[in-house]
Amino acid sequence: MALSLGVDTGGTYTDAVLIRDEQEVVASAKSLTTRHDLAEGIGKAVGKVLQDAAVSPGEIALASLSTTLATNALVEGQGGRVALVLIGFRAGDLERHGLSDALAGDPALLLAGGHNHAGDEAAPFEESTLRDWLAAHGRQVSGYAVAAQFATRNPAHEQRAAALIHEMTGRPVSCSHHLSSKLNGPKRAMTAVLNARLIGMIDRLIRRAEARLQDLGVTAPLMVVRGDGALISAEFAREKPIETILSGPAASIVGARWMTGAQDALVSDIGGTTTDVAVLRDGRPGIDPDGARVGPYRTMVEAVAMRTTGLGGDSEVQVVSEGLQGGVTLGPRRVLPISLVATEAPEVVHRALDAQLRSVTPGEHDGRFLRVMPAAAQDGLGARETTLLERIGDRLCPLQEVLRSRIETKALRRLVERGIVQVAGVTPSDASHVLGNLDSWDREAAEKALTLMGRRRTGSGNMLAPDPVVLARMIVDQLTHQTVLALLETGFAEEAEAFGLPPEQLARHVLMQKGLDRHRGLLRLEAGLNQPLIGLGASAATYYPAVAERLHCRVDLPTHAGVANAIGAVVGRVTIRRSGEVSAPAEGRFRVHLESGPQDFSDAETALQTLEQHLSAEARQSAMAAGAEGIRVTVARDIRTTEAEGREIFLQAVLTVEASGRPRIAAE
């Protein structure tokens, strides 16, 4: 009987689960996620689950990994320093399409070149300028993104630029036409930038995870969950790490369906960093037609239609001082819970918190600490960033001992955004410790940190909260409120009928909120979810009963809800999709757009058959490379025509080929 190992690296915990014959959970285990080296947490979780199940590592025939690493990195603005090479675009495209924001100060190079909609060269490629720039700055970044105008119709200039970058720098290159076959150059460029930023992070994770599993005696091939819930080989994920965004949430949807057998439901997965909400219809999650969106970024990656919010058990609690009553808000940034870091460095944390409590005046940086991530790349840092790192050193350090002037705040923010420095502060996890809902870490440290935060003043001049328990309830109530909003936004976004306003406004609309309150006056208002809610995540049982009560719906909390991602990682299938186009640049001419360049035919059916054969072979080959066996290929044709003078005229055809199979397991 085959054993499969599923592993999920979440923001707070790393989960491992053993499943026998895709039917029975044999054992599951958790270990704290080790952000500085995720493989450490993976090794501990896998070691625990092997011990609990009393099985030999050699019995495992398949290992699969889902990870929130890529999703969290984009939500938190982390990743390597990259350069964007834009070919055939205008300077205004950087600002107009959000590319400048995504680059966040990283370099961009605009070159002449590109093609037109028919795949013909619009201008010669400006190769000499690229050569000069690479010679001067080529090794100052960790990777490159290349996007050329209409590269999906003819990728020649992207291919030439990539070859030149490889030749002169040896750095990895992400070409936009490899990541999507759809038109929309700026959006493809955005996807390429994010892919390039993630390559180093995902490569390190996979390399270290494979090594750690082999140390434990697990020699089965490693698969990785893609953003649509399908599985791909580790090597495939290394090349296209952007496809692993929403990997963890997608795995949780697959796991939720496997555990509950639900056909129709809202699935909400609360982790340490994010809350991910998706709709299950007829037992299948929908695929986002516009491409995966994570935080502020809209990509062209096929992924589960998921709304990801920076809200989790480890979300940063921020004080709202405006207004007479004040309050708190959560996220979107993740911080380390004070109760957690106090278990790792108790003397440092308690000494600093006690000193801050003795002070009569609340300090701006009370209850906050910093530490350096030892494995993070530190290239391209300025003098201020370097100075801050020297002050922190290799210890957990109170924030007030590091920042000595306002001007250093921006430098610290850059270090945090690069993933070089981690911040510890008050989180909902700390609030749950204060309320007695959790007992995993240091409750006393959590109480001290919440006491310090409660001393902050509101607009009325009063303390935010006179007691840590009062503040803890305020924080948990805010988490319930923000979770309800996230679920309502998803519900409105996925409704078949439009309501005339954006989902974000509808969720907060006074009529919606009064309906949830069951308002009774001259009017009777009622509102809520019309489908059951499946709550996933280790803390779902703590928070989601109150969420379901507010939304007046049934909540399903599966037995293994805390390891849903790890379960989904091993019960999925390997699926590869490839799309291509046939255009009609002139009457009687049908152009197939291939990786090798456009090919013209005199009749439509020959062109369609040529594209179908090409895509089918490519999809099958990619599925095999992604680790599939027993592959089945299906083809869908979307042919667009019009009528003129009684004749049907061919406009365009889009072919989508899907190759799907079982994950290849290790031979016994």
Side-chain angles (χ1 to χ4, degrees), residues 77-149:
Q78 297 177 0
R81 189 168 187 262
V82 301
L84 170 62
V85 178
L86 279 175
I87 305 169
F89 292 89
R90 295 181 294 273
D93 290 329
L94 286 169
E95 293 291 340
R96 192 159 42 249
H97 299 284
L99 289 167
S100 292
D101 291 338
L103 285 166
D106 289 355
L109 183 64
L110 276 76
L111 303 174
H115 294 77
N116 61 25
H117 69 281
D120 299 320
E121 187 176 79
F125 174 45
E126 196 178 349
E127 183 174 322
S128 60
T129 303
L130 178 58
R131 280 187 178 277
D132 293 343
W133 193 91
L134 292 173
H137 310 287
R139 296 186 177 273
Q140 295 175 4
V141 296
S142 62
Y144 286 83
V146 177
Q149 191 80 284

Side-chain angles (χ1 to χ4, degrees), residues 134 139 144 161-174:
L134 292 173
R139 296 186 177 273
Y144 286 83
L164 197 57
I165 292 167
H166 275 304
E167 174 191 322
M168 296 186 66
T169 71
R171 297 288 194 261
V173 183
S174 299

Side-chain angles (χ1 to χ4, degrees), residues 465-521:
D467 181 272
V469 173
V470 173
L471 180 56
R473 289 199 183 106
M474 190 185 301
I475 292 169
V476 172
D477 287 347
Q478 182 65 21
L479 188 144
T480 300
H481 174 66
Q482 289 184 219
T483 302
V484 166
L485 291 179
L487 290 164
L488 290 174
E489 287 176 17
T490 301
F492 280 117
E494 295 296 325
E495 275 283 1
E497 184 178 346
F499 286 80
L501 289 172
E504 295 80 6
Q505 292 182 30
L506 290 166
R508 292 163 176 79
H509 198 284
V510 62
L511 291 177
M512 186 72 220
Q513 295 301 315
K514 289 294 185 181
L516 294 178
D517 292 337
R518 293 297 198 252
H519 171 80
R520 294 294 185 271

Side-chain angles (χ1 to χ4, degrees), residues 576-579 612 615-616 619 633-636 655-659:
I576 298 294
R577 297 181 190 87
R578 291 289 182 265
S579 296
E612 182 175 321
L615 293 176
S616 297
V633 177
T634 58
V635 181
L655 269 63
T656 302
V657 173
E658 182 176 287

Side-chain angles (χ1 to χ4, degrees), residues 455-473:
R455 299 197 308 176
R456 302 275 293 274
R457 300 289 172 175
T458 66
S460 65
N462 296 323
M463 291 174 58
L464 176 65
D467 181 272
V469 173
V470 173
L471 180 56
R473 289 199 183 106

Side-chain angles (χ1 to χ4, degrees), residues 89-238:
F89 292 89
R90 295 181 294 273
D93 290 329
L94 286 169
E95 293 291 340
R96 192 159 42 249
H97 299 284
L99 289 167
S100 292
D101 291 338
L103 285 166
D106 289 355
L109 183 64
L110 276 76
L111 303 174
H115 294 77
N116 61 25
H117 69 281
D120 299 320
E121 187 176 79
F125 174 45
E126 196 178 349
E127 183 174 322
S128 60
T129 303
L130 178 58
R131 280 187 178 277
D132 293 343
W133 193 91
L134 292 173
H137 310 287
R139 296 186 177 273
Q140 295 175 4
V141 296
S142 62
Y144 286 83
V146 177
Q149 191 80 284
F150 286 106
T152 54
R153 295 291 175 89
N154 190 334
H157 289 179
E158 281 194 9
Q159 291 167 340
R160 179 57 193 145
L164 197 57
I165 292 167
H166 275 304
E167 174 191 322
M168 296 186 66
T169 71
R171 297 288 194 261
V173 183
S174 299
C175 289
S176 77
H177 77 280
H178 285 157
L179 301 171
S180 176
S181 61
K182 297 178 181 178
L183 296 177
N184 193 330
K187 202 168 167 184
R188 281 201 325 277
M190 173 74 76
T191 306
V193 166
L194 301 180
N195 191 73
R197 184 156 285 157
L198 293 170
I199 282 178
M201 301 175 75
I202 294 293
D203 180 67
R204 282 192 297 273
L205 169 61
I206 291 173
R207 184 162 28 87
R208 291 284 294 124
E210 287 177 328
R212 193 70 191 92
L213 290 175
Q214 288 173 6
D215 290 343
L216 291 168
V218 178
T219 58
L222 181 65
M223 308 292 287
V224 179
V225 182
R226 206 170 56 193
D228 61 357
L231 304 183
I232 52 176
S233 67
E235 191 58 39
F236 202 92
R238 278 190 176 102

